[in-house]
Amino acid sequence: MADKSQVCSVWVGSETGILKGVSLSKKQAFNFCEMSCLSRDQEVCVLGWGDEHETEVLVGSVNGTVKTFSTEKGIFTETRQCGESTQGRFTGIAVTDSALITCVETGLLRVWKEGSTDTVEINAGTNVCRMRQNPSQRNQVATGGKENGLKVWDLERPETPIFTSKNVRNDWLDMRVPEWVRDMSFIPDSDKIVTCTGHHQVRVYDPASPQRRPVLEAHFGEYPLTALSLPANQDSVVVGNTHGELAILDLRKGLVRGCLKGLAGGVRGLQCHPSLPLVATCGLDRFLRVHSLEDRSLQHKVHTNTLSFSYTLSTPEAITGDVEEVKEEGGEVDEVWDTMEMINDQAKKRATDEEEAIVTGVEKTMKKRKVVK
Protein backbone atom coordinates (compact mmCIF):
# COMPACT_ATOMS: atom_id res chain seq x y z
CA MET A 1 0.00 0.00 0.00
CA ALA A 2 1.24 3.45 -0.83
CA ASP A 3 2.19 5.83 1.92
CA LYS A 4 -0.26 8.60 2.78
CA SER A 5 2.37 11.22 2.05
CA GLN A 6 2.14 10.26 -1.63
CA VAL A 7 -1.29 11.87 -1.91
CA CYS A 8 -0.48 14.90 -4.04
CA SER A 9 -3.62 16.89 -4.37
CA VAL A 10 -7.37 17.23 -4.24
CA TRP A 11 -9.07 19.27 -6.96
CA VAL A 12 -12.02 21.38 -5.88
CA GLY A 13 -14.39 23.79 -7.61
CA SER A 14 -16.35 26.67 -6.14
CA GLU A 15 -19.59 28.56 -6.72
CA THR A 16 -17.67 31.46 -8.25
CA GLY A 17 -15.88 29.28 -10.82
CA ILE A 18 -12.53 28.93 -9.10
CA LEU A 19 -10.62 25.70 -9.74
CA LYS A 20 -8.27 25.02 -6.88
CA GLY A 21 -5.62 22.35 -6.46
CA VAL A 22 -4.89 21.64 -2.81
CA SER A 23 -1.56 20.01 -1.99
CA LEU A 24 -2.11 18.09 1.22
CA SER A 25 1.56 17.27 1.74
CA LYS A 26 2.78 20.87 1.31
CA LYS A 27 -0.36 22.44 2.80
CA GLN A 28 -0.71 24.89 -0.08
CA ALA A 29 -3.61 25.77 -2.39
CA PHE A 30 -3.21 26.83 -6.02
CA ASN A 31 -5.89 28.96 -7.71
CA PHE A 32 -6.22 28.50 -11.48
CA CYS A 33 -8.65 31.24 -12.52
CA GLU A 34 -8.61 34.92 -13.31
CA MET A 35 -9.88 36.32 -10.03
CA SER A 36 -11.04 39.57 -11.70
CA CYS A 37 -13.58 37.94 -14.04
CA LEU A 38 -15.32 35.44 -11.79
CA SER A 39 -19.12 35.23 -11.77
CA ARG A 40 -21.89 32.96 -10.53
CA ASP A 41 -22.65 31.67 -14.04
CA GLN A 42 -19.22 30.01 -13.95
CA GLU A 43 -20.10 27.99 -10.88
CA VAL A 44 -18.47 24.57 -11.02
CA CYS A 45 -21.11 21.82 -11.17
CA VAL A 46 -18.99 18.76 -11.90
CA LEU A 47 -15.36 17.74 -12.12
CA GLY A 48 -13.89 14.75 -13.90
CA TRP A 49 -10.67 13.36 -15.28
CA GLY A 50 -10.04 13.98 -18.97
CA ASP A 51 -7.75 10.98 -19.42
CA GLU A 52 -6.66 7.79 -17.69
CA HIS A 53 -3.31 9.29 -16.68
CA GLU A 54 -5.00 12.16 -14.82
CA THR A 55 -3.17 14.85 -16.74
CA GLU A 56 -6.39 16.72 -17.56
CA VAL A 57 -9.27 17.92 -15.38
CA LEU A 58 -12.68 18.56 -16.96
CA VAL A 59 -14.62 21.42 -15.37
CA GLY A 60 -18.36 21.69 -16.08
CA SER A 61 -19.96 25.07 -15.29
CA VAL A 62 -23.51 26.34 -14.85
CA ASN A 63 -23.35 28.28 -18.13
CA GLY A 64 -22.95 25.02 -20.08
CA THR A 65 -19.23 25.25 -20.82
CA VAL A 66 -16.74 22.45 -20.25
CA LYS A 67 -13.16 23.56 -19.72
CA THR A 68 -10.10 21.33 -19.96
CA PHE A 69 -7.32 22.05 -17.48
CA SER A 70 -3.86 20.59 -17.98
CA THR A 71 -2.28 19.51 -14.70
CA GLU A 72 1.14 19.36 -16.41
CA LYS A 73 1.03 22.86 -17.93
CA GLY A 74 -1.04 24.45 -15.17
CA ILE A 75 -3.37 26.22 -17.63
CA PHE A 76 -6.77 25.78 -19.27
CA THR A 77 -6.17 24.38 -22.75
CA GLU A 78 -9.71 24.16 -24.20
CA THR A 79 -13.25 25.45 -23.69
CA ARG A 80 -16.28 23.76 -25.26
CA GLN A 81 -19.91 24.85 -25.24
CA CYS A 82 -21.79 21.67 -24.30
CA GLY A 83 -25.19 23.04 -23.37
CA GLU A 84 -27.26 26.00 -22.26
CA SER A 85 -28.13 27.17 -18.78
CA THR A 86 -31.82 26.69 -19.63
CA GLN A 87 -31.22 22.93 -19.91
CA GLY A 88 -30.23 22.70 -16.27
CA ARG A 89 -26.97 22.09 -14.46
CA PHE A 90 -24.51 19.39 -15.37
CA THR A 91 -25.12 16.22 -13.36
CA GLY A 92 -22.20 14.25 -14.73
CA ILE A 93 -19.21 14.40 -17.03
CA ALA A 94 -16.97 11.64 -18.39
CA VAL A 95 -14.78 10.68 -21.35
CA THR A 96 -14.18 7.64 -23.52
CA ASP A 97 -11.30 7.06 -25.89
CA SER A 98 -12.89 9.22 -28.58
CA ALA A 99 -15.74 11.21 -27.02
CA LEU A 100 -16.88 13.49 -24.22
CA ILE A 101 -20.02 12.53 -22.28
CA THR A 102 -22.23 15.09 -20.54
CA CYS A 103 -25.59 14.93 -18.82
CA VAL A 104 -27.84 17.71 -17.50
CA GLU A 105 -30.80 17.88 -15.12
CA THR A 106 -33.41 17.78 -17.89
CA GLY A 107 -32.16 14.29 -18.79
CA LEU A 108 -30.34 15.21 -22.00
CA LEU A 109 -27.36 12.87 -22.17
CA ARG A 110 -24.94 13.71 -24.99
CA VAL A 111 -21.93 12.01 -26.51
CA TRP A 112 -19.64 14.58 -28.16
CA LYS A 113 -17.47 12.70 -30.66
CA GLU A 114 -13.96 14.00 -31.11
CA GLY A 115 -13.35 15.75 -34.41
CA SER A 116 -17.03 15.67 -35.38
CA THR A 117 -19.93 18.07 -35.05
CA ASP A 118 -22.41 15.20 -34.74
CA THR A 119 -23.57 14.28 -31.24
CA VAL A 120 -25.46 11.28 -29.92
CA GLU A 121 -28.39 12.41 -27.77
CA ILE A 122 -30.15 10.21 -25.23
CA ASN A 123 -33.26 11.07 -23.25
CA ALA A 124 -32.55 9.74 -19.77
CA GLY A 125 -35.81 11.07 -18.30
CA THR A 126 -36.55 14.20 -16.32
CA ASN A 127 -35.05 15.41 -13.04
CA VAL A 128 -31.74 13.57 -13.40
CA CYS A 129 -29.62 14.05 -10.28
CA ARG A 130 -26.51 12.12 -11.28
CA MET A 131 -24.73 10.43 -14.17
CA ARG A 132 -21.79 8.11 -13.52
CA GLN A 133 -19.48 6.18 -15.82
CA ASN A 134 -18.56 2.52 -15.42
CA PRO A 135 -14.75 2.62 -14.92
CA SER A 136 -14.26 -0.94 -16.18
CA GLN A 137 -16.53 -0.52 -19.25
CA ARG A 138 -16.20 3.13 -20.23
CA ASN A 139 -18.96 2.93 -22.84
CA GLN A 140 -21.50 2.37 -20.07
CA VAL A 141 -23.05 5.06 -17.86
CA ALA A 142 -25.74 5.06 -15.20
CA THR A 143 -28.38 7.75 -14.61
CA GLY A 144 -31.05 8.37 -12.00
CA GLY A 145 -33.04 11.13 -10.35
CA LYS A 146 -36.28 12.16 -8.71
CA GLU A 147 -39.05 9.78 -9.78
CA ASN A 148 -36.52 8.58 -12.32
CA GLY A 149 -35.18 5.16 -11.40
CA LEU A 150 -31.71 3.79 -12.02
CA LYS A 151 -30.88 3.17 -15.69
CA VAL A 152 -27.73 1.80 -17.28
CA TRP A 153 -26.91 2.86 -20.85
CA ASP A 154 -24.60 1.37 -23.46
CA LEU A 155 -23.43 4.36 -25.49
CA GLU A 156 -22.71 2.14 -28.47
CA ARG A 157 -26.38 1.08 -28.47
CA PRO A 158 -28.14 4.16 -27.10
CA GLU A 159 -31.67 3.36 -28.25
CA THR A 160 -32.81 1.81 -24.97
CA PRO A 161 -31.15 1.27 -21.58
CA ILE A 162 -29.57 -2.12 -21.02
CA PHE A 163 -30.91 -2.10 -17.45
CA THR A 164 -33.87 -0.32 -15.87
CA SER A 165 -34.51 -0.76 -12.18
CA LYS A 166 -37.90 -1.59 -10.77
CA ASN A 167 -39.30 0.24 -7.79
CA VAL A 168 -39.49 -1.62 -4.49
CA ARG A 169 -42.78 -3.13 -3.42
CA ASN A 170 -45.44 -1.02 -1.71
CA ASP A 171 -44.99 -0.32 1.96
CA TRP A 172 -46.95 -1.90 4.82
CA LEU A 173 -49.82 0.51 4.12
CA ASP A 174 -49.84 -0.72 0.51
CA MET A 175 -48.72 2.75 -0.66
CA ARG A 176 -46.21 3.35 -3.43
CA VAL A 177 -42.68 4.11 -2.25
CA PRO A 178 -41.35 7.28 -3.96
CA GLU A 179 -38.10 7.08 -5.96
CA TRP A 180 -35.28 9.58 -5.70
CA VAL A 181 -31.82 8.45 -6.85
CA ARG A 182 -29.23 11.02 -5.75
CA ASP A 183 -25.96 9.26 -6.56
CA MET A 184 -24.61 5.92 -7.72
CA SER A 185 -21.40 4.02 -8.33
CA PHE A 186 -20.39 0.86 -10.17
CA ILE A 187 -18.91 -1.74 -7.83
CA PRO A 188 -15.55 -2.91 -9.30
CA ASP A 189 -15.08 -6.51 -10.39
CA SER A 190 -18.82 -7.09 -10.55
CA ASP A 191 -21.95 -6.04 -12.41
CA LYS A 192 -23.50 -4.51 -9.29
CA ILE A 193 -24.36 -0.85 -8.77
CA VAL A 194 -24.87 0.90 -5.44
CA THR A 195 -27.15 3.94 -5.13
CA CYS A 196 -28.21 6.37 -2.43
CA THR A 197 -31.57 8.11 -2.35
CA GLY A 198 -33.22 11.26 -1.13
CA HIS A 199 -35.19 9.06 1.29
CA HIS A 200 -32.06 7.95 3.25
CA GLN A 201 -31.81 4.54 1.54
CA VAL A 202 -28.73 2.76 0.21
CA ARG A 203 -29.54 0.14 -2.42
CA VAL A 204 -27.51 -2.39 -4.38
CA TYR A 205 -28.70 -3.55 -7.82
CA ASP A 206 -27.41 -6.51 -9.82
CA PRO A 207 -28.16 -6.17 -13.57
CA ALA A 208 -26.76 -9.68 -14.10
CA SER A 209 -29.60 -11.21 -12.08
CA PRO A 210 -33.18 -11.50 -13.35
CA GLN A 211 -34.32 -9.35 -10.41
CA ARG A 212 -34.66 -5.66 -11.27
CA ARG A 213 -35.40 -4.65 -7.69
CA PRO A 214 -32.49 -4.02 -5.30
CA VAL A 215 -30.75 -7.12 -3.96
CA LEU A 216 -29.80 -5.22 -0.78
CA GLU A 217 -31.28 -2.20 0.97
CA ALA A 218 -30.04 -0.31 4.01
CA HIS A 219 -31.01 2.92 5.73
CA PHE A 220 -28.91 5.66 7.29
CA GLY A 221 -30.23 8.57 9.32
CA GLU A 222 -33.44 10.46 8.67
CA TYR A 223 -32.34 12.99 6.05
CA PRO A 224 -31.81 12.84 2.25
CA LEU A 225 -28.53 11.25 1.15
CA THR A 226 -26.69 13.38 -1.38
CA ALA A 227 -23.47 11.59 -2.34
CA LEU A 228 -21.59 8.31 -2.07
CA SER A 229 -18.22 6.83 -2.93
CA LEU A 230 -16.61 3.39 -2.74
CA PRO A 231 -13.40 2.95 -0.69
CA ALA A 232 -10.51 0.87 -1.93
CA ASN A 233 -11.58 -2.24 0.00
CA GLN A 234 -14.80 -2.45 -2.09
CA ASP A 235 -16.91 -4.12 0.60
CA SER A 236 -18.26 -0.85 1.99
CA VAL A 237 -19.60 2.51 0.86
CA VAL A 238 -19.29 6.02 2.32
CA VAL A 239 -22.46 8.15 2.19
CA GLY A 240 -23.27 11.73 3.18
CA ASN A 241 -26.55 13.57 3.71
CA THR A 242 -28.03 17.06 3.79
CA HIS A 243 -27.24 17.51 7.49
CA GLY A 244 -23.51 16.91 7.16
CA GLU A 245 -23.63 13.35 8.48
CA LEU A 246 -21.14 10.85 7.04
CA ALA A 247 -21.28 7.09 7.51
CA ILE A 248 -19.47 3.95 6.37
CA LEU A 249 -21.93 1.17 5.47
CA ASP A 250 -21.16 -2.50 5.02
CA LEU A 251 -22.32 -3.64 1.58
CA ARG A 252 -22.50 -7.29 2.64
CA LYS A 253 -24.82 -6.91 5.62
CA GLY A 254 -26.24 -3.41 5.13
CA LEU A 255 -25.07 -2.26 8.56
CA VAL A 256 -23.42 1.01 9.60
CA ARG A 257 -19.76 0.44 10.44
CA GLY A 258 -19.13 3.90 11.81
CA CYS A 259 -19.62 7.63 11.35
CA LEU A 260 -17.24 10.44 10.43
CA LYS A 261 -17.58 13.68 12.35
CA GLY A 262 -16.64 17.29 11.80
CA LEU A 263 -18.97 18.51 9.03
CA ALA A 264 -21.13 21.58 9.64
CA GLY A 265 -23.24 21.62 6.45
CA GLY A 266 -24.89 19.41 3.87
CA VAL A 267 -22.54 17.19 1.82
CA ARG A 268 -22.22 18.19 -1.86
CA GLY A 269 -19.19 16.19 -2.95
CA LEU A 270 -17.67 12.99 -1.64
CA GLN A 271 -14.74 11.02 -3.06
CA CYS A 272 -12.70 8.10 -1.70
CA HIS A 273 -9.07 7.72 -2.66
CA PRO A 274 -8.58 4.91 -5.21
CA SER A 275 -5.91 3.10 -3.15
CA LEU A 276 -5.54 4.74 0.28
CA PRO A 277 -7.99 4.60 3.21
CA LEU A 278 -8.93 8.28 2.82
CA VAL A 279 -12.13 10.09 1.92
CA ALA A 280 -12.50 13.75 0.91
CA THR A 281 -15.74 15.68 1.37
CA CYS A 282 -16.99 19.19 0.75
CA GLY A 283 -20.35 20.84 1.27
CA LEU A 284 -22.38 23.88 2.15
CA ASP A 285 -19.94 25.08 4.80
CA ARG A 286 -17.33 25.47 1.99
CA PHE A 287 -14.68 23.37 3.68
CA LEU A 288 -12.75 20.48 2.19
CA ARG A 289 -12.15 17.74 4.74
CA VAL A 290 -10.07 14.59 4.45
CA HIS A 291 -10.87 11.77 6.89
CA SER A 292 -9.07 8.53 7.55
CA LEU A 293 -11.27 5.49 7.01
CA GLU A 294 -9.16 3.43 9.41
CA ASP A 295 -9.61 5.38 12.64
CA ARG A 296 -12.20 7.88 11.22
CA SER A 297 -10.09 10.84 12.33
CA LEU A 298 -9.99 14.20 10.55
CA GLN A 299 -6.67 14.53 8.69
CA HIS A 300 -7.09 17.86 6.89
CA LYS A 301 -9.53 20.75 6.78
CA VAL A 302 -9.28 23.39 4.04
CA HIS A 303 -11.58 26.21 3.10
CA THR A 304 -14.39 25.32 -0.68
CA ASN A 305 -18.07 22.46 -3.94
CA THR A 306 -17.14 19.52 -6.09
CA LEU A 307 -13.92 17.56 -5.78
CA SER A 308 -11.73 14.90 -7.32
CA PHE A 309 -8.88 13.00 -5.67
CA SER A 310 -5.59 12.91 -7.51
CA TYR A 311 -2.94 10.29 -7.00
CA THR A 312 -0.69 10.85 -10.04
CA LEU A 313 -0.88 14.65 -10.11
CA SER A 314 2.26 16.58 -11.06
CA THR A 315 4.19 18.03 -8.16
CA PRO A 316 3.26 21.60 -7.15
CA GLU A 317 6.66 22.91 -8.32
CA ALA A 318 5.63 22.11 -11.91
CA ILE A 319 2.47 24.17 -11.61
CA THR A 320 2.20 27.93 -11.83
CA GLY A 321 -0.69 29.84 -10.31
CA ASP A 322 -1.78 31.93 -7.37
CA VAL A 323 -0.45 30.17 -4.28
CA GLU A 324 -1.98 30.48 -0.87
CA GLU A 325 -1.22 28.73 2.37
CA VAL A 326 -3.78 26.15 3.37
CA LYS A 327 -5.46 26.94 6.67
CA GLU A 328 -5.90 23.83 8.76
CA GLU A 329 -8.88 23.34 11.06
CA GLY A 330 -9.95 26.51 12.79
CA GLY A 331 -7.60 28.74 10.75
CA GLU A 332 -10.24 30.89 9.06
CA VAL A 333 -12.35 31.02 12.19
CA ASP A 334 -9.35 32.32 14.12
CA GLU A 335 -8.85 35.07 11.53
CA VAL A 336 -12.45 36.21 11.98
CA TRP A 337 -12.05 36.38 15.74
CA ASP A 338 -8.73 38.24 15.41
CA THR A 339 -10.35 41.02 13.35
CA MET A 340 -13.24 41.57 15.78
CA GLU A 341 -13.15 44.62 18.03
CA MET A 342 -12.25 43.92 21.66
CA ILE A 343 -14.73 44.99 24.34
CA ASN A 344 -13.01 46.10 27.52
CA ASP A 345 -14.12 45.06 31.00
CA GLN A 346 -15.41 48.56 31.84
CA ALA A 347 -17.83 48.49 28.87
CA LYS A 348 -18.97 45.01 29.91
CA LYS A 349 -19.54 46.19 33.48
CA ARG A 350 -21.50 49.24 32.30
CA ALA A 351 -23.74 47.04 30.12
CA THR A 352 -24.26 44.59 32.97
CA ASP A 353 -25.21 47.40 35.40
CA GLU A 354 -27.73 48.79 32.91
CA GLU A 355 -29.30 45.34 32.43
CA GLU A 356 -29.55 44.83 36.21
CA ALA A 357 -31.17 48.27 36.62
CA ILE A 358 -33.79 47.41 34.03
CA VAL A 359 -34.55 44.06 35.68
CA THR A 360 -34.80 45.71 39.13
CA GLY A 361 -37.18 48.36 37.77
CA VAL A 362 -39.44 45.71 36.27
CA GLU A 363 -39.49 43.71 39.52
CA LYS A 364 -40.47 46.82 41.55
CA THR A 365 -43.27 47.62 39.11
CA MET A 366 -44.64 44.07 39.39
CA LYS A 367 -44.59 44.25 43.21
CA LYS A 368 -46.53 47.55 43.19
CA ARG A 369 -49.19 46.01 40.91
CA LYS A 370 -49.58 43.09 43.30
CA VAL A 371 -50.02 45.45 46.27
CA VAL A 372 -52.67 47.47 44.45
CA LYS A 373 -54.62 44.31 43.62
Side-chain angles (χ1 to χ4, degrees), residues 180 182 196-203 217-225 241 249:
W180 192 0
R182 295 295 297 269
C196 65
T197 75
H199 304 291
H200 59 88
Q201 302 142 336
V202 175
R203 292 169 174 166
E217 179 174 299
H219 294 78
F220 170 67
E222 300 177 356
Y223 305 104
L225 299 177
N241 65 18
L249 273 68

Side-chain angles (χ1 to χ4, degrees), residues 24 34 57 59-60 108 124 132 177 196 221 225 246 293 320 340 356 360 363:
L24 301 179
E34 289 292 336
V57 179
V59 183
L108 182 58
R132 295 286 190 187
V177 178
C196 65
L225 299 177
L246 286 172
L293 294 175
T320 59
M340 293 180 67
E356 290 179 354
T360 304
E363 290 178 349

